[in-house]
Amino acid sequence: MYRIIESNFIAPEVKQFEVEAPRVAEHWQAGQFIILRVDDDGERIPLTVAAADRDSGVITLFVQGIGKTTRLLNRKKSGDFIADVAGPLGKPSEIERYGTAVVVGGGVGTAIAYPVVAALSAAGNRVIAIVGGRSSEYVLLEPELEATGAEVVACTDDGSYGRPGFVTEALKDVISSRDVSIVFAAGPVPMMKAVADVTRPHEIKTIASLNPIMVDGTGMCGGCRVDVGGNTLFACVDGPEFDAHLVDFPLLARRNQAYHDIEQRRLEDFEAECRVEAS
Amino acid sequence: MSEPLTKRERMKLDRVEMIERDPEERASSFAEVNLGYTAEMAKLEAMRCLECAKPKCVAGCPVGIEIDKFIRLVADGEIGAAAEVIQRDNLLPAICGRVCPQENQCEGDCVLAKKERPIAIGHLERYVADYVRSEGFEHVAASAERTGKSVAIIGSGPAGLACAGDLIQSGHEVTVYEALHEPGGVLVYGIPEFRLPKDIVKAEIAGLEELGVRFETNAIVGRTYTLDELMAGNDAVFIGVGAGLPRFLEVPGENLIGVYSANEFLTRVNLMKAYLDGNDTPVLDVQGKRVVVFGGGNTAMDAARTAQRLGAGDVRVLYRRTEAEMPARREEVRHAREEGIIFDFLVSPTELHGEDGLLTGLTVQKMELGEPDDSGRRRPQPIAGELERFDTDLAVVAIGNGPNPLLLSTCPELERTRWGTIAVDEATGRTSMPGVFAGGDIVTGGATVILAMGAGRRAATSIEDWLADAVWELETEPEPVEA
């Protein structure tokens, strides 16, 4: 059992958790994730670790309540327990001194991008963090990103905050005005695909952090397989970061919908239960 | 029945077959298929033993159980004593009695096998184990004297459990590290409930815990712990992490939704209990659907029979050789057939077809058997132009696993074979790193529960030597990595 030290909603249905997991905190590096199970009947889901503090043994997670499991998790409060936390899994991000690096985060993907921004900044890069959301309340972690020394460009789809429009528009501007060595992207699949499409003609090395469905997260099941340049690779052990110019994003998007109907039913049942509990 | 039977009389007796759940009932139920022996049946079967002066069955057992002795005790009704005999060599008899390929081991070497009526050693082992468990017999107590030495075991599958069982009996401290949230390895994620009820695995593991073995779940060595950390904190380390990455077909369409590795399909159903209401792990709906399973081993049988139980309309096992070459236990093949599984031999998939990302069908190439290959089995080869296309909704790939890179990639100094498995001195399980031992599928590639247990026990013996004399000598040099 893993104790939640603190938890707070930071945006609608987006919750920040501080969880006691000393072994994970000890070994975690930017880019790595954990597999989590909320309770004994729960499914195993991957979640990127946003930060870890070795001294206190605490890891930071950001959870967007989309399906039953993430909504169930978001009902947990400080002092509650999570059944299982296993990790850190996946290969760490390749952090080097690239020069100018752009990190693009969309929605809760900003939480995935945050540790990469911090690590790149610490490694002496000039980092531009482009973070986007549907509207102002979905722009996450702006002050935290600024605290790393990165230049932050916030965008909203509806123009309610920062620069109006998609993150890709901001990315185009940065590319045209700066000498960008590398781009990292984390967020919804269409956003990552769009980022890859923007950087491809400029031949800028671009890394995407993929988010396929996983079960064990240790290479045993192959459920997370992705097509990268015509090769079938496992995101859990070969990734989760891959060359975005080689990733078959439509395949990833399609495979992520494999359980859509079942998940929809589970969510509806869960919400009905919650309503009964509340009444 | 008090007078001992003569050999001639014993040889006339028929083998007592186990009671099995009705095939029609079990095709939709995850309850165990084999229902076990009654006391009377066990005694009758044990009485058939000819009590050979030099029992070949013992030599045929990978862990050398004194089979002749325990069978004699069963015939005498001394079930508790029979259990003690078995436990001297095997701490997990309820599991082995159920999943060992006895026909190739003890029963295959039984003198009565020539008449196709070998003593049902597996059934008897299972009977004894189940009897003492249900009667609440204590596990053999660990030696009271603690040695103060500690051993880390990586992986809680058959190899790790067997190794842990021996070492705890010798008074060492033993901690088993398991990557998943539940200990048992392939016994819990792979082998289905209907063949090996999970309560039995839990009881066997609880027995080891009572003896003092500590289990730490969610502990992925190579990630949560490094091998160096375990070596620093212990006097020896045993690696029994099992097989890893599942192999896929390497044909077009293998990433369509509806194509599972057997590992994923079985893990969703067995470990995650996707078939039970109230569990959150989904599995693709197979109700009334057409399912194909690629492979001819026990895992393929498990996948096919699992699909059938989930309500599939039509389940086919596609194997590229013939029935004679199938590595599956004979009983599993028979059970599968009884449950309505169809077998197509001498076919190999060439392409999986789909629509909108979903699997809809496949094309298979017809094969014929040619000359024997390295394994001694005749090699299947394609018959030119003989292709067949048919529809399917789900495909499960059960053609084996490669080694898992997680642990190995973090310790390059551990020498490997050309197949990527860990190189060891076979007799002792010693690796190229002093103090580090390995056994089971991570050394042999995909094999059986009992072979892994045998390797775990051999390593335990060698660990004892190492803890006593700290001498690291290898009889055979581990084969170096080939670039």
Side-chain angles (χ1 to χ4, degrees):
Chain A
M1 300 285 270
Y2 298 78
R3 195 157 64 102
I4 298 167
I5 306 291
E6 208 184 325
S7 69
N8 295 297
F9 279 104
I10 59 160
E13 276 301 343
V14 179
K15 201 166 188 182
Q16 176 174 354
F17 288 94
E18 305 295 327
V19 181
E20 223 171 36
R23 300 294 324 172
V24 179
E26 167 90 30
H27 289 283
W28 174 82
Q29 290 174 267
Q32 291 186 302
F33 64 92
I34 53 152
I35 292 275
L36 171 151
R37 220 163 57 109
V38 179
D39 55 32
D40 281 345
D41 300 324
E43 61 180 331
R44 295 170 64 93
I45 59 161
L47 283 174
T48 302
V49 176
D53 181 19
R54 281 183 195 187
D55 297 333
S56 62
V58 171
I59 59 171
T60 305
L61 305 170
F62 291 89
V63 180
Q64 183 170 29
I66 304 171
K68 176 186 170 182
T69 298
T70 45
R71 296 243 169 128
L72 196 61
L73 184 53
N74 279 355
R75 283 164 61 103
K76 296 259 180 193
K77 300 180 196 74
S78 310
D80 288 349
F81 288 86
I82 296 170
D84 297 288
V85 171
L89 292 162
K91 291 184 178 165
S93 307
E94 283 178 26
I95 304 297
E96 287 170 31
R97 189 158 180 174
Y98 296 103
T100 300
V102 178
V103 182
V104 186
V108 80
T110 306
I112 304 171
Y114 168 70
V116 180
V117 171
L120 286 169
S121 298
N125 293 284
R126 280 185 305 280
V127 185
I128 301 151
I130 303 174
V131 296
R134 284 205 301 274
S135 56
S136 61
E137 67 264 39
Y138 291 96
V139 175
L140 309 180
L141 300 175
E142 201 181 355
E144 287 85 350
L145 289 165
E146 271 169 355
T148 68
E151 192 181 311
V152 181
V153 182
C155 315
T156 51
D157 300 353
D158 65 359
S160 56
Y161 180 75
R163 190 195 150 112
F166 295 128
V167 286
T168 39
E169 293 309 313
L171 176 62
K172 281 177 192 164
D173 284 357
V174 172
I175 287 173
S176 65
S177 60
R178 310 272 192 100
D179 185 14
V180 176
S181 309
I182 190 163
V183 175
F184 285 83
V189 177
M191 185 215 88
M192 292 192 285
K193 181 180 186 301
V195 167
D197 290 342
V198 167
T199 59
R200 189 177 287 109
H202 301 278
E203 296 179 2
I204 300 168
K205 183 175 175 182
T206 303
I207 305 293
S209 179
L210 306 189
N211 55 348
I213 295 169
M214 292 185 187
V215 184
D216 63 291
T218 64
M220 194 260 285
C221 87
C224 67
R225 58 197 193 275
V226 290
D227 185 311
V228 182
N231 299 310
T232 295
L233 298 175
F234 292 5
C236 67
V237 290
D238 300 316
E241 295 186 353
F242 295 100
D243 183 339
H245 294 154
L246 300 177
V247 171
D248 184 341
F249 285 109
L251 176 74
L252 174 64
R254 187 67 191 90
R255 284 184 64 84
N256 277 352
Q257 294 296 309
Y259 302 100
H260 179 265
D261 293 352
I262 302 174
E263 282 165 354
Q264 214 50 44
R265 274 202 305 278
R266 294 248 160 93
L267 180 60
E268 282 161 20
D269 292 349
F270 173 69
E271 296 204 312
E273 269 172 46
C274 293
R275 280 195 294 275
V276 171
E277 266 175 45
S279 66
Chain B
M1 246 184 267
S2 52
E3 283 296 300
L5 300 174
T6 64
K7 274 198 176 176
R8 185 180 293 265
E9 285 169 325
R10 292 182 212 183
M11 287 178 70
K12 280 187 185 155
L13 295 173
D14 281 332
R15 176 175 155 120
V16 181
E17 292 304 340
M18 197 171 272
I19 309 167
E20 294 174 355
R21 203 175 292 278
D22 178 64
E24 221 168 288
E25 177 195 341
R26 70 191 197 226
S28 60
S29 158
F30 279 85
E32 194 175 14
V33 169
N34 284 330
L35 299 176
Y37 275 162
T38 62
E40 195 64 16
M41 291 166 81
K43 190 163 190 172
L44 266 175
E45 181 59 18
M47 278 166 52
R48 289 206 308 125
C49 178
L50 299 181
E51 300 179 39
C52 306
K54 285 185 182 166
K56 288 184 173 172
C57 51
V58 177
C61 174
V63 297
I65 296 175
E66 292 173 290
I67 295 166
D68 53 326
K69 286 194 186 146
F70 100 73
I71 289 184
R72 178 71 249 166
L73 289 163
V74 175
D76 292 343
E78 302 275 350
I79 311 304
E84 279 175 31
V85 170
I86 294 174
Q87 283 183 4
R88 281 207 289 267
D89 296 297
N90 183 354
L91 275 170
L92 309 168
I95 295 169
C96 293
R98 287 171 166 83
V99 303
C100 268
Q102 288 95 3
E103 68 260 31
N104 304 325
Q105 299 173 354
C106 53
E107 293 183 23
D109 289 336
C110 174
V111 291
L112 291 171
K114 291 193 194 86
K115 296 192 179 297
E116 293 185 356
R117 287 190 307 189
I119 300 295
I121 300 165
H123 291 358
L124 288 169
E125 181 184 28
R126 169 192 160 139
Y127 170 74
V128 171
D130 286 359
Y131 177 86
V132 295
R133 194 179 64 253
S134 65
E135 297 294 313
F137 278 63
E138 301 263 313
H139 273 70
V140 181
S143 123
E145 255 176 72
R146 310 309 294 170
T147 63
K149 308 266 186 185
S150 71
V151 182
I153 293 181
I154 311 172
S156 66
L161 293 180
C163 190
D166 280 6
L167 292 170
I168 200 76
Q169 302 270 40
S170 304
H172 308 303
E173 258 186 54
V174 181
T175 307
V176 181
Y177 297 89
E178 168 55 47
L180 291 170
H181 56 266
E182 205 177 303
V186 72
L187 305 172
V188 297
Y189 76 74
I191 303 176
E193 180 76 18
F194 56 83
R195 199 147 78 78
L196 178 62
K198 299 310 149 216
D199 283 348
I200 287 171
V201 181
K202 282 200 178 108
E204 302 269 28
I205 287 169
L208 290 176
E209 279 181 318
E210 272 171 43
L211 296 179
V213 178
R214 278 198 308 264
F215 287 89
E216 186 171 335
T217 53
N218 297 322
I220 305 131
V221 179
R223 290 279 186 254
T224 318
Y225 290 89
T226 63
L227 186 57
D228 286 346
E229 283 175 318
L230 294 190
M231 286 175 74
N234 293 277
D235 300 292
V237 176
F238 174 76
I239 304 174
V241 295
L245 272 63
R247 291 204 183 91
F248 283 90
L249 299 162
E250 296 184 18
V251 302
E254 68 180 358
N255 293 333
L256 289 162
I257 296 169
V259 184
Y260 276 131
S261 73
N263 282 358
E264 181 176 3
F265 182 58
L266 292 172
T267 297
R268 284 181 180 276
V269 179
N270 296 332
L271 175 71
M272 306 308 297
K273 304 265 181 288
Y275 66 96
L276 295 179
D277 281 344
N279 268 267
D280 290 337
T281 302
V283 65
L284 293 171
D285 182 14
V286 300
Q287 293 270 343
K289 304 264 176 77
R290 294 154 301 193
V291 177
V292 296
V293 177
F294 303 108
N298 288 325
T299 309
M301 299 305 110
D302 287 344
R305 298 171 69 197
T306 295
Q308 182 86 335
R309 281 161 173 78
L310 292 173
D314 165 295
V315 184
R316 270 165 204 279
V317 171
L318 306 185
Y319 183 50
R320 64 201 183 110
R321 305 182 200 240
T322 72
E323 182 159 5
E325 289 84 22
M326 279 175 83
R329 287 176 91 219
R330 244 174 279 161
E331 186 184 64
E332 310 311 327
V333 179
R334 176 171 64 80
H335 282 164
R337 275 221 172 85
E338 288 169 1
E339 289 160 15
I341 311 291
I342 301 155
F343 287 82
D344 284 345
F345 296 108
L346 292 168
V347 286
S348 178
T350 58
E351 188 174 355
L352 300 168
H353 309 288
E355 266 176 48
D356 182 31
L358 296 173
L359 177 72
T360 56
L362 73 160
T363 299
V364 296
Q365 162 77 60
K366 297 229 173 131
M367 312 294 279
E368 62 186 352
L369 291 184
E371 294 300 309
D373 62 12
D374 295 346
S375 70
R377 297 179 300 176
R378 292 176 65 192
R379 188 195 302 273
Q381 52 197 38
I383 309 172
E386 297 258 345
L387 291 164
E388 193 190 341
R389 183 173 170 150
F390 56 93
D391 295 341
T392 194
D393 306 296
L394 192 88
V396 183
V397 184
I399 58 169
N401 303 285
N404 193 318
L406 259 190
L407 172 60
L408 299 183
S409 65
T410 55
C411 40
E413 58 272 48
L414 198 60
E415 288 194 1
R416 270 156 271 179
T417 68
R418 76 186 74 169
W419 300 279
T421 52
I422 298 179
V424 299
D425 175 36
E426 213 178 295
T428 61
R430 294 185 177 205
T431 69
S432 59
M433 291 172 78
V436 179
F437 301 73
D441 282 4
I442 189 62
V443 167
T444 56
T448 61
V449 168
I450 190 69
L451 283 172
M453 288 183 55
R457 302 202 64 219
R458 277 198 304 282
T461 306
S462 181
I463 289 170
E464 301 278 8
D465 295 342
W466 162 250
L467 296 179
D469 62 18
V471 176
W472 197 259
E473 274 173 6
L474 306 183
E475 279 170 34
T476 53
E477 279 299 306
E479 197 179 346
V481 183
E482 289 188 8

